[in-house]
Amino acid sequence: MPDEKYIIGITGGIGSGKSTVANLFRERGFHIIDADDVARDVVKPGSELLIKITTHFGKDILNRDGSLNRAKLASIVFQNQKEREYLEQILHPKIISQIIIQIEKADVKTVIIVVPLLIESGMDKLCDLVIVVIADVETRITRIEKRNTVDRDEILSRINAQISDTERSENADIIIDNNSDVNELARQVDKVITKIS
Ligand code: ADP
């Protein structure tokens, strides 16, 4: 990675508030690369990876328009560790290389990457600063239930499939506690900005 760039990684479990934190940084003028956007892009219709996924999981995994039904795929892989590992093993290298390309292309000094599996994928090693967003499991479940039409059991199985906040926090330079309201979250973001400026 070019020396002149300062790379901040934001991670956290599902529903912890990573995207909300990233948006607060975006509103304050920071350049954000979102791994979820990259993950969507690498499986777009016609991509080599979508063909691989369809060959493995069957055509039922596609929407009528030929795009990937991500919710369906997620519900399969979060119930089956082997399938999850298969999917991660084909997706992650491509997502990581695309993120690196986007970092290099970004014409700014500080780049923020938002990556759900930052630590698990080893991408934290690319970062100059690792921010882990944490929130209590119950709070996360309530927030996700409000956001999506996914039931509690499915949310819990996703939370349990991921590493814990304790493990994430061990790899953090900065921990953002998102158990309070968004104003408090913004205060913590401003504190980080003061620290890195
Ligand atoms: P993640 O990207 O980590 O999955 P999000 O940032 O999407 O999490 O947050 C999950 C949901 O909770 C979203 O609907 C978001 O608007 C909401 N949310 C995040 N932080 C707070 C907060 N401090 N108070 C209330 N709702 C929040």
Side-chain angles (χ1 to χ4, degrees), residues 9-192:
I10 299 178
T11 192
I14 175 170
S16 60
K18 311 177 277 300
S19 312
T20 309
V21 168
N23 279 334
L24 289 164
F25 276 102
R26 189 181 282 117
E27 283 168 20
R28 286 154 177 76
F30 284 82
H31 184 98
I32 310 287
I33 299 168
D34 188 332
D36 276 345
D37 294 339
V38 177
R40 269 189 205 97
D41 194 57
V42 298
V43 294
K44 65 184 173 217
S47 64
E48 191 191 322
L49 276 184
L50 187 57
I51 294 167
K52 249 188 175 163
I53 289 169
T54 314
T55 307
H56 183 87
F57 291 95
K59 283 207 162 65
D60 280 355
I61 209 68
L62 298 177
N63 293 313
R64 275 161 172 257
D65 64 1
S67 62
L68 181 62
N69 186 335
R70 286 165 52 93
K72 194 166 186 181
L73 184 60
S75 75
I76 295 172
V77 301
F78 279 109
Q79 282 165 34
N80 184 324
Q81 191 178 341
K82 270 221 155 90
E83 296 290 38
R84 195 171 78 243
E85 282 167 4
Y86 169 78
L87 187 67
E88 288 180 352
Q89 162 243 315
I90 62 166
L91 277 181
H92 285 182
K94 184 79 182 170
I95 294 171
I96 293 171
S97 64
Q98 285 302 315
I99 291 175
I100 291 172
I101 289 170
Q102 288 196 22
I103 292 173
E104 284 169 349
K105 276 209 296 209
D107 194 18
V108 285
K109 184 179 182 309
T110 302
V111 179
I112 298 184
I113 60 175
V114 189
V115 188
L117 300 179
L118 187 81
I119 291 156
E120 298 89 324
S121 67
M123 285 201 82
D124 58 326
K125 311 283 183 299
L126 283 179
C127 299
D128 297 292
L129 188 81
V130 173
I131 299 176
V132 172
V133 185
I134 60 166
D136 297 342
V137 169
E138 273 310 317
T139 306
R140 289 161 61 190
I141 292 174
T142 311
R143 287 176 183 165
I144 299 166
E145 278 176 332
K146 253 188 169 172
R147 183 184 65 183
N148 308 110
T149 49
V150 49
D151 69 44
R152 192 191 158 82
D153 284 348
E154 184 150 354
I155 300 169
L156 254 182
S157 76
R158 290 188 195 191
I159 289 178
N160 290 332
Q162 298 183 331
I163 61 170
S164 66
D165 274 355
T166 313
E167 284 172 89
R168 272 189 210 97
S169 300
E170 282 164 9
N171 294 278
D173 297 305
I174 292 176
I175 296 169
I176 290 188
D177 185 320
N178 186 23
N179 281 300
S180 185
D181 59 19
V182 177
N183 286 336
E184 167 55 24
L185 202 57
R187 266 194 291 279
Q188 293 183 67
V189 167
D190 288 333
K191 227 170 116 184
V192 175

